Amino acid sequence: MSLTLVALGLAACSTTGGGPTQRIAVVEEDTQGTSTVNISSLSDVIQRNPNDPSAYNTRGAAYARVGNYSSAMSDFSKAVQLDPNYAPAYTNRALALRQTNRNDQALADFTRAIQADPNYGPAYIGRANLYRAQNQYQEALSDLNMATRLLPESAEALHSRGLLYQRQGMHPQAILDFDATIDRNPFVGAPYAARGQSFVATNQYDKAIEDFNAALNVNNKDADSWAWRGVALERKGDRSQALESYQRALALDNSNSVARQGSSRLQGGVAGLFRS
């Protein structure tokens, strides 16, 4: 099967204050060390099938998961050399290029993937995320609308479109897309965190706190969710719990601007004096 094995990253995008946090088009993390083992077995597959582009694409994704982007891109390049119309390998190479800050080349590869297969949804999602990062909102929306038509059950496409709406301050539309994302995949923290920020922006603080709690239930080391939970609690009037949330965020990431500003507000500027 010709699968895009590099994940299109799901992540919150802070738009309601404190500057945007962008974690987009990230490679699927290898949390169990399985990719290193897989690379060896995949190399055996390639040795037996040296002209199979899908084998190179699969091994390239394994290399990407362990952060070996040079080898990953070499494998993706071999895949498209063997099959110049192999959209998954162009898409994966584009995602690896994004990881190494070669966005112009990444954009070219996403476009080549779409030209090779106009019905390949992941390429539209990846290109839209890049357009969003470059503030090209109309182009991003066009790609995401196409992706949701091609992949109506794709949590990634809906989440990305929600982030795009959120970036533009269109929070009711963003909330609807985050609702749909969570409906399709309720076990990922990022859509809850993103929807929580839009709930804060629309003064729905109880719902926001619920969402940040859900995000933290998935990953209690997410400094952004602790910080924004603090914002929701502070605006609701619960200063003591808000301060506790800000402090939890700062313990994880002392540079978190939302938490630093919130902590400083609640402590009368003392935090601002003592944290450089």
Side-chain angles (χ1 to χ4, degrees), residues 56-236:
Y56 286 97
N57 183 54
T58 305
R59 189 177 68 175
Y63 276 130
R65 288 194 191 101
V66 296
N68 187 346
Y69 299 118
S70 175
S71 294
M73 284 187 279
S74 177
D75 272 357
F76 299 141
S77 295
K78 181 64 175 179
V80 297
Q81 178 187 337
L82 291 168
D83 182 356
N85 293 313
Y86 192 35
Y90 284 121
T91 302
N92 277 338
R93 190 171 68 179
L95 291 167
L97 285 163
R98 288 218 59 196
Q99 289 296 308
T100 53
N101 296 314
R102 287 179 270 183
N103 288 338
D104 289 343
Q105 291 172 262
L107 181 60
D109 265 357
F110 284 132
T111 300
R112 288 175 79 179
I114 291 166
Q115 290 169 343
D117 183 356
N119 295 315
Y120 190 63
Y124 290 98
I125 301 172
R127 190 171 70 173
N129 284 336
L130 178 51
Y131 279 143
R132 186 180 78 241
Q134 296 176 336
N135 299 324
Q136 294 178 254
Y137 299 141
Q138 202 56 48
E139 293 87 345
L141 182 59
S142 177
D143 274 358
L144 289 170
N145 285 340
M146 176 62 79
T148 56
R149 284 196 292 272
L150 293 169
L151 303 169
E153 294 304 311
S154 170
E156 289 86 354
L158 289 161
H159 182 83
S160 292
R161 193 171 66 182
L163 293 178
L164 178 64
Y165 285 139
Q166 189 183 68
R167 174 77 70 84
Q168 297 174 88
M170 301 165 67
H171 294 287
Q173 295 93 322
I175 288 168
L176 288 174
D177 272 349
F178 295 140
D179 288 345
T181 303
I182 291 165
D183 183 58
R184 286 157 177 76
N185 188 352
F187 305 110
V188 176
Y192 292 101
R195 188 174 67 177
Q197 290 184 25
S198 284
F199 279 141
V200 169
T202 53
N203 305 319
Q204 300 180 73
Y205 304 127
D206 286 331
K207 289 183 177 180
I209 293 164
E210 261 184 53
D211 270 358
F212 294 126
N213 287 342
L216 291 164
N217 190 50
V218 176
N219 175 17
N220 69 359
K221 297 188 183 301
D222 180 7
D224 284 336
S225 288
W226 282 113
W228 281 97
R229 181 177 182 270
V231 172
L233 287 162
E234 182 183 357
R235 293 190 185 178
K236 189 184 173 186

Side-chain angles (χ1 to χ4, degrees), residues 40-62:
S40 177
S41 60
L42 291 168
S43 296
D44 291 339
V45 172
I46 287 171
Q47 195 168 21
R48 294 193 300 271
N49 304 278
N51 295 316
D52 181 1
S54 67
Y56 286 97
N57 183 54
T58 305
R59 189 177 68 175

Side-chain angles (χ1 to χ4, degrees), residues 14-21 228 255-258 261:
S14 305
T15 60
T16 51
T21 299
W228 281 97
S255 67
N256 188 288
S257 61
V258 173
Q261 292 165 16

